[in-house]
Coordinates of all heavy atoms in Angstrom, one line a residue:
M258 N -43.2 41.6 36.1 CA -42.5 41.5 34.8 C -43.6 41.1 33.7 O -44.4 40.3 33.9 CB -41.5 40.4 34.9 CG -40.7 40.3 33.6 SD -39.4 39.0 33.7 CE -38.4 39.4 35.1
S259 N -43.5 41.8 32.6 CA -44.5 41.6 31.5 C -44.2 40.2 30.9 O -43.1 39.6 31.0 CB -44.3 42.6 30.4 OG -43.1 42.4 29.7
E260 N -45.2 39.7 30.2 CA -45.1 38.4 29.6 C -44.1 38.4 28.5 O -43.4 37.5 28.2 CB -46.5 38.0 29.0 CG -46.6 36.5 28.6 CD -46.5 35.6 29.8 OE1 -46.7 35.9 31.0 OE2 -46.0 34.4 29.6
Y261 N -44.0 39.5 27.8 CA -43.0 39.7 26.7 C -41.6 39.6 27.3 O -40.8 39.0 26.7 CB -43.3 41.1 26.0 CG -42.3 41.3 24.9 CD1 -42.4 40.6 23.7 CD2 -41.4 42.3 25.0 CE1 -41.6 40.8 22.6 CE2 -40.5 42.5 23.9 CZ -40.6 41.8 22.7 OH -39.7 42.0 21.7
R262 N -41.4 40.2 28.4 CA -40.1 40.2 29.0 C -39.7 38.8 29.5 O -38.6 38.4 29.4 CB -40.0 41.2 30.2 CG -38.7 41.3 30.8 CD -37.8 42.1 29.8 NE -36.5 42.2 30.4 CZ -35.4 42.3 29.7 NH1 -35.4 42.3 28.4 NH2 -34.2 42.3 30.3
K263 N -40.7 38.1 30.0 CA -40.5 36.7 30.4 C -40.1 35.8 29.1 O -39.2 35.0 29.2 CB -41.8 36.1 31.0 CG -42.1 36.6 32.4 CD -43.4 36.0 32.9 CE -43.8 36.7 34.2 NZ -45.0 36.2 34.7
Q264 N -40.7 36.1 28.0 CA -40.4 35.3 26.8 C -38.9 35.7 26.4 O -38.2 34.8 26.0 CB -41.3 35.7 25.6 CG -42.7 35.1 25.8 CD -43.6 35.5 24.6 OE1 -43.4 36.5 24.0 NE2 -44.6 34.6 24.4
I265 N -38.6 36.9 26.4 CA -37.2 37.3 26.1 C -36.2 36.6 27.0 O -35.2 36.0 26.6 CB -37.0 38.8 26.1 CG1 -37.8 39.5 25.0 CG2 -35.5 39.2 26.1 CD1 -37.9 41.0 25.1
N266 N -36.5 36.7 28.3 CA -35.6 36.0 29.3 C -35.5 34.5 29.1 O -34.4 34.0 29.2 CB -36.0 36.3 30.7 CG -35.8 37.8 31.1 OD1 -35.0 38.5 30.5 ND2 -36.5 38.2 32.2
Y267 N -36.6 33.9 28.8 CA -36.6 32.5 28.5 C -35.8 32.1 27.2 O -35.0 31.2 27.2 CB -38.0 31.9 28.4 CG -38.1 30.5 28.1 CD1 -37.8 29.6 29.1 CD2 -38.3 30.0 26.8 CE1 -37.9 28.2 28.9 CE2 -38.4 28.6 26.6 CZ -38.1 27.7 27.6 OH -38.2 26.4 27.4
T268 N -35.9 32.9 26.2 CA -35.2 32.7 25.0 C -33.7 32.9 25.2 O -32.9 32.1 24.7 CB -35.7 33.7 23.9 OG1 -37.1 33.5 23.7 CG2 -35.0 33.4 22.6
V269 N -33.3 33.9 25.9 CA -31.9 34.1 26.2 C -31.3 32.9 27.0 O -30.2 32.4 26.7 CB -31.7 35.5 27.0 CG1 -30.3 35.6 27.6 CG2 -32.0 36.6 26.1
A270 N -32.1 32.5 28.0 CA -31.7 31.3 28.8 C -31.5 30.1 27.9 O -30.5 29.3 28.0 CB -32.6 31.0 29.9
C271 N -32.4 29.9 27.0 CA -32.3 28.7 26.1 C -31.1 28.8 25.2 O -30.4 27.8 25.0 CB -33.6 28.6 25.2 SG -35.1 28.0 26.1
V272 N -30.8 30.0 24.6 CA -29.7 30.1 23.8 C -28.4 29.9 24.6 O -27.5 29.2 24.2 CB -29.6 31.5 23.2 CG1 -28.3 31.8 22.5 CG2 -30.8 31.7 22.2
S273 N -28.3 30.4 25.8 CA -27.2 30.2 26.7 C -27.0 28.7 27.0 O -25.9 28.2 26.9 CB -27.4 31.0 28.0 OG -26.3 30.8 28.8
E274 N -28.0 28.0 27.4 CA -28.0 26.6 27.7 C -27.6 25.8 26.5 O -26.8 24.8 26.5 CB -29.3 26.1 28.3 CG -29.6 26.6 29.7 CD -28.5 26.1 30.7 OE1 -28.2 25.0 30.7 OE2 -28.1 27.0 31.5
F275 N -28.1 26.1 25.3 CA -27.8 25.4 24.1 C -26.3 25.6 23.7 O -25.7 24.6 23.4 CB -28.7 26.0 22.9 CG -28.6 25.2 21.6 CD1 -29.4 24.1 21.4 CD2 -27.6 25.5 20.7 CE1 -29.4 23.4 20.2 CE2 -27.5 24.8 19.5 CZ -28.4 23.7 19.3
A276 N -25.8 26.8 23.9 CA -24.4 27.1 23.6 C -23.5 26.2 24.6 O -22.6 25.6 24.1 CB -24.1 28.6 23.8
H277 N -23.9 26.2 25.8 CA -23.1 25.4 26.8 C -23.1 24.0 26.5 O -22.1 23.3 26.5 CB -23.6 25.7 28.2 CG -22.9 25.0 29.3 ND1 -21.6 25.3 29.7 CD2 -23.3 23.9 30.0 CE1 -21.3 24.4 30.6 NE2 -22.3 23.6 30.8
K278 N -24.3 23.4 26.2 CA -24.5 22.0 25.9 C -23.7 21.6 24.7 O -23.2 20.4 24.6 CB -26.0 21.7 25.7 CG -26.3 20.2 25.5 CD -27.7 19.9 25.5 CE -28.0 18.4 25.3 NZ -29.4 18.1 25.3
H279 N -23.6 22.4 23.7 CA -23.0 22.1 22.4 C -21.6 22.7 22.2 O -21.1 22.6 21.1 CB -23.9 22.4 21.2 CG -25.2 21.6 21.3 ND1 -25.3 20.3 21.0 CD2 -26.5 22.0 21.7 CE1 -26.5 19.8 21.1 NE2 -27.3 20.8 21.6
G280 N -21.1 23.3 23.2 CA -19.7 23.8 23.1 C -19.6 25.0 22.1 O -18.6 25.1 21.4
L281 N -20.6 25.8 22.0 CA -20.6 27.0 21.1 C -20.5 28.3 21.9 O -20.9 28.3 23.1 CB -21.9 27.0 20.3 CG -22.2 25.7 19.5 CD1 -23.7 25.8 19.0 CD2 -21.3 25.6 18.4
S282 N -20.1 29.3 21.3 CA -20.2 30.6 21.9 C -21.6 31.1 21.8 O -22.4 30.5 21.1 CB -19.3 31.6 21.1 OG -19.9 31.9 19.8
L283 N -22.0 32.1 22.6 CA -23.3 32.6 22.6 C -23.7 33.1 21.2 O -24.8 32.8 20.7 CB -23.5 33.7 23.6 CG -23.5 33.3 25.0 CD1 -23.6 34.5 25.9 CD2 -24.7 32.3 25.3
Q284 N -22.8 33.7 20.5 CA -23.0 34.3 19.2 C -23.2 33.1 18.2 O -24.1 33.2 17.3 CB -21.9 35.1 18.7 CG -22.1 35.8 17.4 CD -21.0 36.8 17.0 OE1 -20.0 36.9 17.7 NE2 -21.1 37.4 15.9
E285 N -22.4 32.1 18.2 CA -22.5 30.9 17.4 C -23.9 30.2 17.6 O -24.6 29.9 16.6 CB -21.4 29.9 17.6 CG -20.1 30.4 17.1 CD -18.9 29.5 17.6 OE1 -19.0 28.9 18.7 OE2 -17.9 29.4 16.8
A286 N -24.2 30.0 18.9 CA -25.5 29.4 19.2 C -26.7 30.2 18.7 O -27.6 29.6 18.0 CB -25.6 29.2 20.7
F287 N -26.7 31.5 18.9 CA -27.8 32.3 18.4 C -27.9 32.3 16.9 O -29.0 32.1 16.4 CB -27.7 33.8 18.9 CG -28.8 34.6 18.4 CD1 -30.0 34.6 19.1 CD2 -28.7 35.4 17.3 CE1 -31.1 35.3 18.6 CE2 -29.7 36.1 16.8 CZ -31.0 36.1 17.4
S288 N -26.8 32.4 16.2 CA -26.8 32.4 14.8 C -27.4 31.1 14.2 O -28.2 31.1 13.3 CB -25.4 32.6 14.3 OG -25.4 32.6 12.9
F289 N -26.9 30.0 14.8 CA -27.4 28.7 14.4 C -28.9 28.5 14.7 O -29.7 28.1 13.8 CB -26.6 27.6 15.2 CG -27.0 26.2 14.8 CD1 -26.6 25.6 13.7 CD2 -27.9 25.5 15.7 CE1 -27.0 24.3 13.3 CE2 -28.3 24.2 15.4 CZ -27.8 23.6 14.2
L290 N -29.3 28.9 15.9 CA -30.7 28.8 16.2 C -31.6 29.7 15.4 O -32.7 29.3 15.1 CB -30.9 29.0 17.7 CG -30.2 28.0 18.6 CD1 -30.2 28.4 20.1 CD2 -30.9 26.6 18.5
F291 N -31.1 30.9 15.1 CA -31.9 31.8 14.3 C -32.0 31.4 12.9 O -33.1 31.3 12.3 CB -31.3 33.2 14.4 CG -32.1 34.3 13.7 CD1 -33.2 34.8 14.2 CD2 -31.7 34.6 12.4 CE1 -33.9 35.8 13.5 CE2 -32.4 35.6 11.7 CZ -33.5 36.2 12.3
T292 N -30.9 31.0 12.3 CA -30.8 30.5 10.9 C -31.7 29.3 10.7 O -32.4 29.3 9.6 CB -29.4 30.2 10.5 OG1 -28.6 31.4 10.7 CG2 -29.3 29.7 9.1
Y293 N -31.7 28.4 11.6 CA -32.5 27.2 11.4 C -33.8 27.1 12.1 O -34.4 26.1 12.4 CB -31.6 26.0 11.7 CG -30.4 25.9 10.8 CD1 -29.2 26.2 11.2 CD2 -30.6 25.6 9.4 CE1 -28.1 26.2 10.3 CE2 -29.6 25.6 8.5 CZ -28.3 25.9 9.0 OH -27.2 25.9 8.1
K294 N -34.4 28.3 12.4 CA -35.7 28.5 12.9 C -36.1 28.1 14.3 O -37.2 28.1 14.7 CB -36.7 27.9 11.9 CG -36.5 28.2 10.5 CD -36.7 29.6 10.2 CE -36.6 29.8 8.7 NZ -36.2 31.2 8.3
A295 N -35.1 27.8 15.2 CA -35.4 27.4 16.5 C -35.8 28.6 17.4 O -36.7 28.5 18.3 CB -34.2 26.7 17.2
I296 N -35.3 29.8 17.1 CA -35.7 31.0 17.8 C -37.2 31.3 17.5 O -38.0 31.6 18.4 CB -34.8 32.2 17.5 CG1 -33.3 32.0 17.9 CG2 -35.4 33.5 18.1 CD1 -33.1 31.9 19.3
E297 N -37.5 31.2 16.3 CA -38.9 31.4 15.9 C -39.8 30.3 16.6 O -40.9 30.7 17.0 CB -39.0 31.3 14.4 CG -40.4 31.5 13.8 CD -40.5 31.4 12.3 OE1 -39.4 31.6 11.7 OE2 -41.5 31.1 11.8
F298 N -39.3 29.1 16.6 CA -40.1 28.0 17.3 C -40.3 28.3 18.7 O -41.4 28.2 19.2 CB -39.3 26.7 17.1 CG -39.9 25.6 17.9 CD1 -41.0 24.9 17.5 CD2 -39.3 25.2 19.1 CE1 -41.5 23.9 18.2 CE2 -39.8 24.2 19.9 CZ -41.0 23.5 19.4
I299 N -39.3 28.8 19.4 CA -39.4 29.1 20.9 C -40.4 30.2 21.0 O -41.2 30.2 21.9 CB -38.0 29.4 21.5 CG1 -37.2 28.2 21.6 CG2 -38.2 30.1 22.8 CD1 -37.8 27.1 22.6
K300 N -40.3 31.2 20.2 CA -41.2 32.4 20.3 C -42.7 31.9 20.0 O -43.6 32.3 20.8 CB -40.8 33.4 19.2 CG -41.8 34.6 19.2 CD -41.3 35.6 18.1 CE -42.4 36.6 17.9 NZ -42.4 37.3 16.6
D301 N -42.9 31.1 19.0 CA -44.3 30.7 18.7 C -44.8 29.7 19.7 O -46.1 29.5 19.8 CB -44.3 30.1 17.3 CG -44.0 31.1 16.2 OD1 -44.1 32.3 16.5 OD2 -43.7 30.7 15.1
N302 N -44.0 28.9 20.4 CA -44.4 27.9 21.2 C -44.0 28.1 22.7 O -44.0 27.1 23.5 CB -43.9 26.5 20.7 CG -44.4 26.2 19.4 OD1 -45.6 25.8 19.3 ND2 -43.6 26.4 18.4
Y303 N -43.8 29.3 23.1 CA -43.4 29.7 24.4 C -44.3 29.1 25.5 O -43.9 28.6 26.5 CB -43.3 31.2 24.6 CG -43.1 31.6 26.0 CD1 -41.8 31.5 26.6 CD2 -44.1 32.1 26.8 CE1 -41.6 31.9 27.9 CE2 -44.0 32.5 28.1 CZ -42.7 32.4 28.7 OH -42.5 32.8 30.0
E304 N -45.6 29.2 25.3 CA -46.6 28.8 26.3 C -46.4 27.3 26.7 O -46.6 26.9 27.8 CB -48.0 29.0 25.8 CG -48.4 30.4 25.7 CD -48.3 31.1 27.0 OE1 -48.7 30.6 28.1 OE2 -47.9 32.3 27.0
I305 N -46.0 26.5 25.7 CA -45.7 25.1 26.0 C -44.3 24.8 26.4 O -44.0 24.2 27.4 CB -46.1 24.2 24.8 CG1 -47.6 24.3 24.5 CG2 -45.7 22.7 25.0 CD1 -48.0 23.7 23.2
E306 N -43.4 25.4 25.7 CA -41.9 25.1 25.9 C -41.4 25.5 27.3 O -40.6 24.8 27.9 CB -41.1 25.7 24.8 CG -41.2 25.1 23.4 CD -40.7 23.7 23.4 OE1 -39.6 23.4 23.9 OE2 -41.5 22.8 22.8
H307 N -41.9 26.6 27.8 CA -41.4 27.1 29.1 C -41.9 26.2 30.2 O -41.3 26.3 31.3 CB -41.7 28.6 29.3 CG -43.1 28.9 29.9 ND1 -44.2 28.8 29.2 CD2 -43.4 29.1 31.2 CE1 -45.2 29.1 30.1 NE2 -44.8 29.3 31.3
T308 N -42.8 25.3 30.0 CA -43.3 24.4 31.0 C -42.4 23.1 31.1 O -42.5 22.4 32.0 CB -44.7 24.0 30.9 OG1 -44.9 23.3 29.7 CG2 -45.6 25.3 30.9
L309 N -41.6 23.0 30.1 CA -40.7 21.8 30.0 C -39.4 22.0 30.6 O -39.0 23.1 30.9 CB -40.5 21.4 28.5 CG -41.7 21.2 27.6 CD1 -41.2 21.0 26.2 CD2 -42.5 20.0 28.1
S310 N -38.7 20.9 30.9 CA -37.3 21.1 31.4 C -36.4 21.7 30.3 O -36.8 21.6 29.1 CB -36.7 19.7 31.8 OG -36.5 18.9 30.6
F311 N -35.3 22.3 30.7 CA -34.4 22.9 29.7 C -33.9 21.8 28.7 O -33.8 22.0 27.5 CB -33.2 23.6 30.3 CG -33.5 25.1 30.5 CD1 -33.4 25.6 31.8 CD2 -33.7 25.9 29.5 CE1 -33.6 26.9 32.0 CE2 -33.9 27.3 29.7 CZ -33.9 27.8 31.0
D312 N -33.6 20.6 29.3 CA -33.2 19.5 28.4 C -34.2 19.2 27.3 O -33.8 19.0 26.1 CB -32.9 18.2 29.2 CG -31.6 18.3 30.0 OD1 -30.7 19.1 29.6 OD2 -31.5 17.6 31.0
D313 N -35.5 19.1 27.7 CA -36.5 18.9 26.7 C -36.6 20.0 25.7 O -36.7 19.8 24.5 CB -37.8 18.6 27.3 CG -37.9 17.3 28.1 OD1 -37.1 16.4 27.8 OD2 -38.8 17.2 28.9
A314 N -36.5 21.2 26.2 CA -36.6 22.4 25.3 C -35.4 22.4 24.3 O -35.6 22.7 23.1 CB -36.7 23.7 26.1
L315 N -34.2 22.1 24.8 CA -33.0 22.1 24.0 C -33.1 21.0 22.9 O -32.7 21.2 21.8 CB -31.8 21.9 24.8 CG -31.5 23.0 25.8 CD1 -30.2 22.7 26.6 CD2 -31.4 24.4 25.2
D316 N -33.6 19.8 23.3 CA -33.8 18.8 22.4 C -34.8 19.2 21.3 O -34.6 18.9 20.1 CB -34.3 17.5 23.1 CG -33.3 16.8 23.9 OD1 -32.1 17.1 23.8 OD2 -33.7 16.0 24.8
D317 N -35.9 19.8 21.6 CA -36.9 20.3 20.7 C -36.2 21.3 19.7 O -36.4 21.3 18.5 CB -38.0 21.0 21.4 CG -39.0 20.0 22.1 OD1 -38.8 18.8 21.9 OD2 -39.8 20.5 22.8
M318 N -35.4 22.2 20.3 CA -34.7 23.2 19.4 C -33.8 22.6 18.4 O -33.8 23.0 17.3 CB -34.0 24.2 20.3 CG -34.9 25.1 21.2 SD -34.0 26.0 22.5 CE -33.1 27.1 21.5
L319 N -33.0 21.6 18.9 CA -32.1 20.9 18.0 C -32.9 20.2 16.9 O -32.5 20.2 15.7 CB -31.2 19.9 18.8 CG -30.2 19.2 17.9 CD1 -29.3 20.2 17.2 CD2 -29.4 18.2 18.8
M320 N -34.0 19.5 17.3 CA -34.8 18.8 16.3 C -35.4 19.8 15.2 O -35.3 19.5 14.0 CB -36.0 18.1 17.0 CG -36.9 17.3 16.1 SD -38.3 16.5 17.0 CE -39.2 18.0 17.6
I321 N -35.8 21.0 15.6 CA -36.3 22.0 14.7 C -35.2 22.4 13.7 O -35.4 22.5 12.5 CB -36.9 23.2 15.4 CG1 -38.2 22.8 16.2 CG2 -37.1 24.4 14.4 CD1 -39.3 22.3 15.3
C322 N -34.0 22.6 14.3 CA -32.8 23.0 13.5 C -32.5 21.9 12.5 O -32.3 22.2 11.3 CB -31.6 23.3 14.3 SG -31.8 24.8 15.3
E323 N -32.5 20.7 12.9 CA -32.2 19.6 12.0 C -33.2 19.4 10.9 O -32.9 19.2 9.8 CB -32.0 18.3 12.8 CG -30.8 18.2 13.7 CD -30.7 17.1 14.6 OE1 -31.7 16.4 14.8 OE2 -29.6 16.8 15.1
K324 N -34.5 19.6 11.2 CA -35.5 19.6 10.2 C -35.4 20.7 9.2 O -35.9 20.5 8.1 CB -36.9 19.7 10.9 CG -37.4 18.4 11.6 CD -38.8 18.6 12.1 CE -39.3 17.3 12.6 NZ -40.7 17.4 13.0
N325 N -34.7 21.8 9.6 CA -34.5 22.9 8.7 C -33.1 22.9 8.1 O -32.7 23.9 7.6 CB -34.9 24.2 9.4 CG -36.3 24.4 9.6 OD1 -37.1 24.4 8.7 ND2 -36.8 24.4 10.9
G326 N -32.4 21.8 8.1 CA -31.1 21.7 7.5 C -29.9 22.0 8.4 O -28.8 22.0 7.9
G327 N -30.1 22.2 9.6 CA -29.0 22.6 10.5 C -28.3 21.3 11.0 O -28.9 20.4 11.5
V328 N -27.0 21.3 11.0 CA -26.2 20.2 11.4 C -25.0 20.8 12.3 O -24.3 21.7 11.8 CB -25.6 19.4 10.3 CG1 -24.7 18.3 10.8 CG2 -26.7 18.9 9.3
L329 N -24.9 20.3 13.5 CA -23.8 20.7 14.3 C -22.6 19.8 14.1 O -22.8 18.6 13.9 CB -24.2 20.6 15.8 CG -25.2 21.7 16.3 CD1 -25.6 21.4 17.7 CD2 -24.6 23.0 16.2
Q330 N -21.5 20.4 14.0 CA -20.2 19.6 13.7 C -19.8 18.8 14.9 O -19.8 19.2 16.0 CB -19.1 20.6 13.3 CG -19.5 21.5 12.1 CD -19.8 20.7 10.8 OE1 -19.2 19.7 10.6 NE2 -20.7 21.2 10.1

């Protein structure tokens, strides 16, 4: 599997886990994460983030969203 495909699979898994953790649909989670720059963060920091637990990665994603104005209800 190519490195690019691994990044895509990891990003999809992160979105899915984020949705589950926060009670969102996949579409809501992706929209939130994309709007508040967490998707970009995961793409730019894949080499480090994929070595962390999902819980740590999800916490990082939420922190990035909050820094960019994202608030979950």
Side-chain angles (χ1 to χ4, degrees):
M258 183 181 304
S259 73
E260 195 65 25
Y261 182 69
R262 187 69 181 150
K263 288 178 186 177
Q264 287 180 334
I265 291 171
N266 289 342
Y267 180 75
T268 302
V269 169
C271 285
V272 172
S273 179
E274 290 295 318
F275 189 90
H277 179 73
K278 182 175 182 177
H279 296 286
L281 303 170
S282 70
L283 290 175
Q284 185 175 2
E285 290 169 329
F287 179 82
S288 179
F289 180 79
L290 295 169
F291 183 81
T292 299
Y293 297 107
K294 310 295 184 207
I296 298 293
E297 182 178 335
F298 171 79
I299 288 295
K300 179 183 169 201
D301 292 344
N302 296 284
Y303 170 78
E304 291 300 320
I305 296 167
E306 290 294 315
H307 87 280
T308 66
L309 303 175
S310 71
F311 268 119
D312 285 334
D313 288 342
L315 298 179
D316 290 344
D317 288 349
M318 292 167 69
L319 182 58
M320 181 180 65
I321 293 299
C322 289
E323 289 172 345
K324 283 185 174 185
N325 289 299
V328 178
L329 288 174
Q330 306 296 328

